[in-house]
């Protein structure tokens, strides 16, 4: 999902969290996690395209799905399980719980919006991507069509 939509969803959810629980830690960590999880796209961009980092190229490459491999270290269902365990073990520490909420809502919106095919939900698993050698075309077959539309 595109950044402006993530920003709207994240601000809304973080605002609701603050109004409900009156916790800055919960709201701020939800906001940071919900937005900045996408920084892992920069790592993949730099791995495939090298430096210098050019913001215009970065957004074009992401929009056109021009990746051979997708590691996306923070985009993984596994983080939800680990963060839920950490939140529970810390008696629902607001910073950990907010991070859990931010990452969960972000991943759900990414998964729902980018792949209507339920089978592809597993592509948001780090372990699944690893088993598939992080190959973009194998992991996101429907987005592959977008990718090859732009390759001339
Ligand atoms: Zn994302």
């Amino acid at each position: 999902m595109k950044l402006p939509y993530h920003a709207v969803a994240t601000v809304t959810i973080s605002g609701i969290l603050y109004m409900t629980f009156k916790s800055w830690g919960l709201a701020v960590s939800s906001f940071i996690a919900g937005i900045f999880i996408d920084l892992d796209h920069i790592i993949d961009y730099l791995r495939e395209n090298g430096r210098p980092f050019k913001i215009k190229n970065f957004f074009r490459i992401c929009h056109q799905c021009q990746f051979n491999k997708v590691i996306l270290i923070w985009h993984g269902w596994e983080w939800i399980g680990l963060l839920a365990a950490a939140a529970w073990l810390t008696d629902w520490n607001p910073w950990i719980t907010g991070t859990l909420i931010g990452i969960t809502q972000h991943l759900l919106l990414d998964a729902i919006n980018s792949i209507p095919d339920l089978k592809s939900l597993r592509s948001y698993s780090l372990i699944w991507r690893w088993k598939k050698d992080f190959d973009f075309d194998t992991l996101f077959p429907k987005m592959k069509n977008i990718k090859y539309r732009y390759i001339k």
Side-chain angles (χ1 to χ4, degrees):
M1 194 161 96
K2 291 184 176 176
L3 187 60
Y5 299 110
H6 275 306
V8 169
T10 300
V11 166
T12 302
I13 289 169
S14 297
I16 290 169
L17 287 172
Y18 181 76
M19 288 189 295
T20 306
F21 297 102
K22 305 288 185 232
S23 167
W24 280 111
L26 188 67
V28 169
S29 58
S30 167
F31 175 79
I32 291 171
I35 298 286
F36 292 99
I37 179 179
D38 271 342
L39 288 178
D40 60 5
H41 288 279
I42 294 175
I43 299 168
D44 279 8
Y45 169 87
L46 289 172
R47 183 182 39 73
E48 292 204 356
N49 300 285
R51 297 172 69 173
F53 177 76
K54 294 182 178 175
I55 194 93
K56 192 176 172 186
N57 281 349
F58 169 71
F59 279 107
R60 180 183 53 77
I61 283 170
C62 287
H63 178 72
Q64 297 178 355
C65 304
Q66 300 293 313
F67 289 100
N68 295 317
K69 304 252 183 200
V70 279
I71 296 173
L72 297 176
I73 192 71
W74 290 110
H75 285 70
W77 300 124
E78 293 83 354
W79 291 114
I80 294 174
L82 290 173
L83 284 165
W88 180 67
L89 290 171
T90 60
D91 199 22
W92 305 101
N93 172 292
W95 292 93
I96 295 172
T97 306
T99 303
L100 168 66
I101 292 168
I103 285 182
T104 301
Q105 60 89 3
H106 184 107
L107 285 176
L108 286 173
L109 289 174
D110 269 357
I112 290 166
N113 283 287
S114 63
I115 42 173
D117 173 11
L118 280 179
K119 282 184 179 175
S120 296
L121 289 176
R122 60 189 175 198
S123 295
Y124 281 87
S125 159
L126 273 171
I127 294 168
W128 181 257
R129 289 199 301 273
W130 182 28
K131 285 171 69 176
K132 298 296 176 187
D133 196 30
F134 301 102
D135 182 67
F136 181 88
D137 294 355
T138 304
L139 292 162
F140 298 102
K142 291 192 174 183
M143 294 170 90
K144 184 175 75 176
N145 298 331
I146 296 169
K147 175 182 175 180
Y148 289 104
R149 190 182 311 147
Y150 290 101
I151 293 177
K152 292 170 180 128

